[in-house]
Amino acid sequence: MTTQTTPTTRAVVLPSGVVPAGTPERPRRQRGSRLLIWVFLAPTLIGLGLFSFVPIIGSFVLAFFRWDIISAPEFIGVGNFVDLAANPTVRVSFLNTIGFVVVAVTVQLAVALLLAILVQSRMPEWLRTFFRSALFFPLVLSAASVSLVMAYLFNQEFGLVNEFLGLFGVGNIGWLTTGFGAKVVVLLVYVWQNFGFTFLLFIGGLAAIPREVYEASSLDGAHGWSQFRNVTLPLVSPTMLVASVMAIISALQIFDQPYVLTRGGPGDETRTAVMVIYESAFQQLDFGLASAIGIVLTLLIMLVTAAQFQLSKRFVFYG
Amino acid sequence: MSTAATEVRPPRGRLAAAGKYTVLGVAALLTLAPVVWTLITALTPSNIDTNETEFGLGAFADVFNQIPILLYTWNSALVTLLIAAGQMLTAAMAGYVFARFDFTGKRILFGAILATMMVPMQVTIVPVFMLIRGMGLADTLLALIVPMIPTAFGTFLMRQYFMGLPPELAEAAQIDGAGPWKIFFGVYLPLATPGLAIVGILAFNYHWNEFFRPLILTISEQNFTLPLGLVTLQGNLGTGSVATVLAGVILSMIPAALVFVFGQKPLREGLTAGISK
């Protein structure tokens, strides 16, 4: 969702009004343009160099040092990586993060695809606009504020959720005070806010399927489930790939929701990888360990993305 | 599509339609209900003496009394608007060069710019924090603004946008005697306004709501942005004054809601830009 995590692919669909550069690019060297080129590039090149490239290298180097910011950094080789593998909190956080990603992304993709198919089906235009806008609205809110609101809704004593469940005779659930409850809430709050993005992607993907394909398959007797299974799913699979890559990358970086809702608790039940980076660096002043965890997270992101593109060769249908 | 209502449908179709609207309705309800509940709760604070809830703007007044919300709003606005403006300008300039000129190292530079998008910000935050300290910007609003102005994604978006504009415009302007600077500022930049709007709105939406960086890069309360200030407010109040915290949340939502109402199209296009079919 953040601009930082947007993977770029070579095939690009542009905002309406933008024509892809299908026509051969015709760059011209205009008189006096040399100065313009470098003046225009300077802010971006210097800025990204300083605030992206240097930190990426810095992170990598720092991962091999012990440094508490006060005393001089000390080279310890792979010491930080050995530490993080042995550290139970780090291990639990990574397991939490991976478990969270698997469930959250599955739910997010399924819910988003179902709702996108329903919204794109036959209905009055005003109703379609209403549903589309309503479902996408949480995206413009801040994850921190949303989590504040949800913390009240899921409060054990006076939260609306328990009050509502009480109507059906469900006893008081300690949503934020039990490990399982806290995990469920973090997951629900995250998916609640983020499924709208996946939903938008699927709407785009579904809109690109030609109407004739459905008509032809209907004539051949395909309806309902068989149409979904044999027509919609294969044709929407390229979108599915992009949506899942983006959803996984973004879910691997979850921080705001568990930080505000549970501070990682109870115990370490909802602690995530990025929370441990934050805590190691800015609470325990172990900047080397924090960098090492960051490197592992980056590698995890790259590995998952590469694996998805490999798998997609078998499952994604490019008509 | 509009003929759907007049069509006579078999019972199975009507059942399917009922199911469809039920699912969508429940989903829309689950999406909107927390927002509506927040608004209602903020408008009905409980009286400390009688412990009864009453309708009123008291909770909103409390927000102003208990936290420097105007300061937080100002900080958030300053950070967000300067990042948005900075991104629009630098992305337009760099994107224009990549779209319209040929020069040595162009492909490598563009590839390097795109590569920076691969590494998440949470991973580089430690070195960024040190750089900021080294530059003497620790615990200032500039620490939040400056590192975010150069934008790889914005540069990519603007490059695509400028590539979609006809190159003949430059030739025509050149014949009229316009130099390269005039061609950019007088001809191409005005035409790129829709692209700039996308970059600006994406930046606004992201940075107005941002929590992680302000949490790390600001220390004193006078530099807090809204999301950070609200979480602090909740921490200070505990669970005692729900209405006050929620009134703060509502106030912080207003600009986001305005973006949603007036900038939904560019926002949608921006979010899904750069995605393959």
Side-chain angles (χ1 to χ4, degrees):
Chain A
M1 201 125 326
T2 71
T3 52
Q4 269 77 17
T5 60
T6 312
T8 43
T9 47
R10 293 212 53 173
V12 168
V13 165
L14 292 161
S16 71
V18 184
V19 185
T23 48
E25 196 184 339
R26 275 189 292 163
R28 293 287 155 84
R29 197 178 281 278
Q30 296 158 3
R31 265 176 297 116
S33 57
R34 200 172 218 5
L35 180 67
L36 177 139
I37 290 177
W38 295 108
V39 168
F40 274 19
L41 284 182
T44 298
L45 291 185
I46 295 172
L48 287 178
L50 194 59
F51 294 111
S52 285
F53 263 104
V54 170
I56 290 169
I57 295 164
S59 235
F60 199 78
V61 172
L62 212 51
F64 298 93
F65 284 82
R66 176 176 295 134
W67 194 29
D68 59 4
I69 232 173
I70 301 150
S71 39
E74 177 198 347
F75 181 78
I76 53 166
V78 293
N80 285 320
F81 293 94
V82 174
D83 282 356
L84 77 85
N87 184 324
T89 304
V90 176
R91 222 171 25 214
V92 166
S93 323
F94 268 93
L95 289 178
N96 284 344
T97 308
I98 291 167
F100 165 80
V101 168
V102 170
V103 183
V105 172
T106 309
V107 174
Q108 189 174 328
L109 289 175
V111 170
L113 181 58
L114 171 71
L115 293 175
I117 289 174
L118 293 181
V119 157
Q120 289 300 96
S121 69
R122 196 189 291 244
M123 73 172 69
E125 213 47 50
W126 65 269
L127 208 55
R128 192 196 313 282
T129 309
F130 166 75
F131 282 129
R132 204 176 51 187
S133 303
L135 296 175
F136 148 73
F137 181 67
L139 269 187
V140 301
L141 303 178
S142 111
S145 304
V146 165
S147 302
L148 282 180
V149 172
M150 296 294 190
Y152 290 129
L153 284 172
F154 284 98
N155 185 286
Q156 186 171 3
E157 278 86 43
F158 61 82
L160 209 60
V161 174
N162 270 350
E163 209 170 298
F164 178 75
L165 291 176
L167 297 179
F168 303 95
V170 179
N172 240 10
I173 298 174
W175 287 109
L176 295 168
T177 48
T178 59
F180 184 72
K183 281 186 167 125
V184 170
V185 173
V186 168
L187 189 105
L188 286 178
V189 173
Y190 179 87
V191 173
W192 181 85
Q193 183 158 29
N194 289 287
F195 88 91
F197 178 65
T198 313
F199 168 76
L200 282 184
L201 295 181
F202 278 132
I203 286 184
L206 290 169
I209 301 176
R211 234 185 150 58
E212 296 77 44
V213 177
Y214 282 110
E215 283 158 12
S217 78
S218 292
L219 287 178
D220 291 343
H223 290 286
W225 175 252
S226 71
Q227 195 167 46
F228 171 77
R229 176 74 190 77
N230 298 313
V231 182
T232 311
L233 212 50
L235 287 176
V236 91
S237 59
T239 310
M240 183 75 91
L241 171 68
V242 175
S244 61
V245 170
M246 296 188 77
I248 290 178
I249 292 179
S250 143
L252 276 169
Q253 299 169 47
I254 184 174
F255 175 85
D256 296 5
Q257 290 87 354
Y259 181 86
V260 175
L261 283 164
T262 62
R263 291 287 194 282
D268 286 333
E269 296 277 356
T270 54
R271 210 169 299 281
T272 65
V274 174
M275 286 183 83
V276 189
I277 295 179
Y278 167 76
E279 287 160 356
S280 314
F282 301 101
Q283 287 173 0
Q284 292 143 25
L285 297 183
D286 194 340
F287 290 92
L289 181 66
S291 297
I293 301 171
I295 299 292
V296 174
L297 183 64
T298 309
L299 291 178
L300 193 61
I301 288 176
M302 288 176 167
L303 203 74
V304 168
T305 312
Q308 271 177 305
F309 281 105
Q310 281 304 315
L311 282 175
S312 74
K313 285 184 185 157
R314 286 170 55 192
F315 299 114
V316 174
F317 171 80
Y318 291 100
Chain B
M1 233 170 261
S2 54
T3 57
T6 57
E7 252 174 53
V8 182
R9 299 223 200 123
R12 212 184 103 192
R14 232 176 302 162
L15 202 68
K20 174 174 87 184
Y21 288 124
T22 310
V23 172
L24 282 174
V26 168
L29 184 75
L30 287 176
T31 312
L32 296 177
V35 181
V36 175
W37 175 79
T38 307
L39 186 63
I40 293 173
T41 312
L43 286 170
T44 52
S46 57
N47 191 309
I48 304 161
D49 305 321
T50 60
N51 218 11
E52 302 257 300
T53 57
E54 49 195 44
F55 184 82
L57 292 173
F60 288 87
D62 282 348
V63 179
F64 286 91
N65 294 333
Q66 296 187 11
I67 56 166
I69 192 161
L70 288 177
L71 180 68
Y72 296 161
T73 309
W74 168 252
N75 288 346
S76 269
L78 202 67
V79 168
T80 309
L81 293 176
L82 285 178
I83 291 176
Q87 285 198 356
M88 285 156 80
L89 183 68
T90 59
M93 296 193 308
Y96 178 71
V97 168
F98 282 117
R100 304 250 336 122
F101 297 97
D102 244 346
F103 54 94
T104 350
K106 172 176 164 176
R107 289 175 67 93
I108 295 171
L109 282 178
F110 192 62
I113 286 177
L114 294 187
T116 63
M117 290 197 285
M118 293 301 204
V119 180
M121 172 257 293
Q122 287 90 336
V123 170
T124 53
I125 191 74
V126 169
V128 166
F129 173 77
M130 311 211 161
L131 267 172
I132 299 266
R133 269 178 96 236
M135 295 164 89
L137 294 178
D139 194 24
T140 65
L141 289 180
L142 280 177
L144 295 178
I145 300 166
V146 177
M148 282 297 145
I149 287 181
T151 159
F153 187 64
T155 301
F156 168 76
L157 215 67
M158 290 313 294
R159 168 185 174 263
Q160 301 304 108
Y161 206 91
F162 282 116
M163 283 171 89
L165 298 175
E168 290 79 16
L169 294 175
E171 287 154 27
Q174 221 170 352
I175 292 166
D176 291 344
W181 305 85
K182 182 101 197 278
I183 293 175
F184 174 72
F185 286 106
V187 179
Y188 281 100
L189 192 60
L191 288 174
T193 317
L196 287 174
I198 293 176
V199 173
I201 282 182
L202 276 186
F204 185 91
N205 186 51
Y206 182 75
H207 293 287
W208 182 264
N209 294 327
E210 169 172 57
F211 181 70
F212 186 72
R213 279 190 333 121
L215 176 71
I216 287 166
L217 299 177
T218 65
I219 298 158
S220 23
E221 221 167 277
Q222 65 181 47
N223 292 322
F224 280 7
T225 55
L226 262 176
L228 192 56
L230 289 173
V231 172
T232 314
L233 171 70
Q234 185 253 3
N236 293 344
L237 296 178
T239 46
S241 182
V242 182
T244 312
V245 175
L246 295 184
V249 168
I250 290 289
L251 290 174
S252 78
M253 275 181 188
I254 293 172
L258 290 178
V259 165
F260 182 74
V261 173
F262 296 107
Q264 197 185 130
K265 194 163 166 277
L267 181 64
R268 269 206 318 259
E269 285 170 354
L271 285 172
T272 50
I275 311 296
S276 74
K277 251 183 221 175

